[in-house]
Amino acid sequence: MDNIKTNENTKYAVKDIEHLKELWSKTYNTDGKPDWSHLLPYYHENIHFRDSIQEINGLKDFKEMIERLTKRSKKLEMKIVNAVQNGNIMFLEWEMTILFKKTRTSVVYGASRVILNEEGKIIDQRDYYDLWGDIFDNITGLAKPYRRFMRRVFG
């Protein structure tokens, strides 16, 4: 991004979509456990995060959320499938492979919309995915009833 204001805070500015892809790719592929330590400085103190399960405001709560995710998952990997940028808005399409402690491996298909502020910090992130559908598809006895319910109620 050419319009990032330069100051001491821009040390951790996301420069463009390739930079964000590089940062995210390092996060989820460290011995199967996510490691956000290199990425967290790129998030603004007032980050707003939302997904299918929760809405979070502030870096402290955001850190607690990723710590819970790390603790619950035995293994977690992220594959970035596509990425596009329009100004300060970036979209990443991803496939997240999760091995929870008591289930077999599940792939969750989703996308994240990231908005950068004028300093290149991540100020807003919205993750889109069908958590239950992608997980239930891998559990015998739940996949068909869940898909039938979704078609009947929402299809």
Side-chain angles (χ1 to χ4, degrees):
M1 291 182 24
D2 296 334
N3 56 355
I4 295 175
K5 294 179 184 174
T6 307
N7 62 41
E8 66 185 52
N9 291 331
T10 58
K11 178 179 177 185
Y12 292 105
V14 176
K15 296 174 181 74
D16 57 27
I17 192 69
E18 292 303 318
H19 186 211
L20 184 62
K21 280 174 52 181
E22 179 187 330
L23 291 168
W24 276 42
S25 296
K26 291 178 184 175
T27 302
Y28 291 97
N29 297 315
T30 310
D31 299 326
K33 282 283 194 180
D35 177 11
W36 287 69
S37 60
H38 68 286
L39 185 57
L40 285 172
Y42 292 88
Y43 280 86
H44 191 273
E45 181 179 314
N46 297 322
I47 177 69
H48 173 252
F49 173 86
R50 186 172 181 186
D51 66 9
S52 306
I53 302 169
Q54 59 207 322
E55 183 169 7
I56 291 172
N57 289 296
L59 192 55
K60 178 184 171 288
D61 290 346
F62 185 75
K63 285 179 185 176
E64 290 173 1
M65 176 198 64
I66 58 175
E67 287 171 6
R68 287 190 305 272
L69 177 64
T70 301
K71 190 180 281 185
R72 278 193 305 262
S73 58
K74 194 171 179 182
K75 183 178 179 184
L76 200 148
E77 295 176 356
M78 174 77 76
K79 176 183 173 189
I80 307 294
V81 180
N82 289 298
V84 295
Q85 177 179 359
N86 184 6
N88 68 333
I89 301 173
M90 299 176 178
F91 276 92
L92 299 168
E93 178 187 1
W94 42 260
E95 296 174 6
M96 185 166 59
T97 304
I98 307 171
L99 177 58
F100 289 110
K101 292 180 179 174
K102 295 182 179 180
T103 64
R104 62 183 179 178
T105 300
S106 297
V107 179
V108 177
Y109 302 91
S112 297
R113 189 242 320 119
V114 172
I115 298 176
L116 305 178
N117 71 0
E118 65 280 351
E119 295 176 336
K121 295 274 191 182
I122 300 170
I123 189 71
D124 193 278
Q125 180 177 330
R126 175 71 164 100
D127 288 358
Y128 301 91
Y129 55 87
D130 176 9
L131 177 64
W132 299 120
D134 290 336
I135 290 176
F136 287 170
D137 283 345
N138 294 298
I139 299 174
T140 305
L142 291 179
K144 287 183 181 177
Y146 174 75
R147 293 296 172 192
R148 193 172 33 247
F149 167 78
M150 293 300 286
R151 273 192 305 275
R152 192 170 353 133
V153 176
F154 301 106

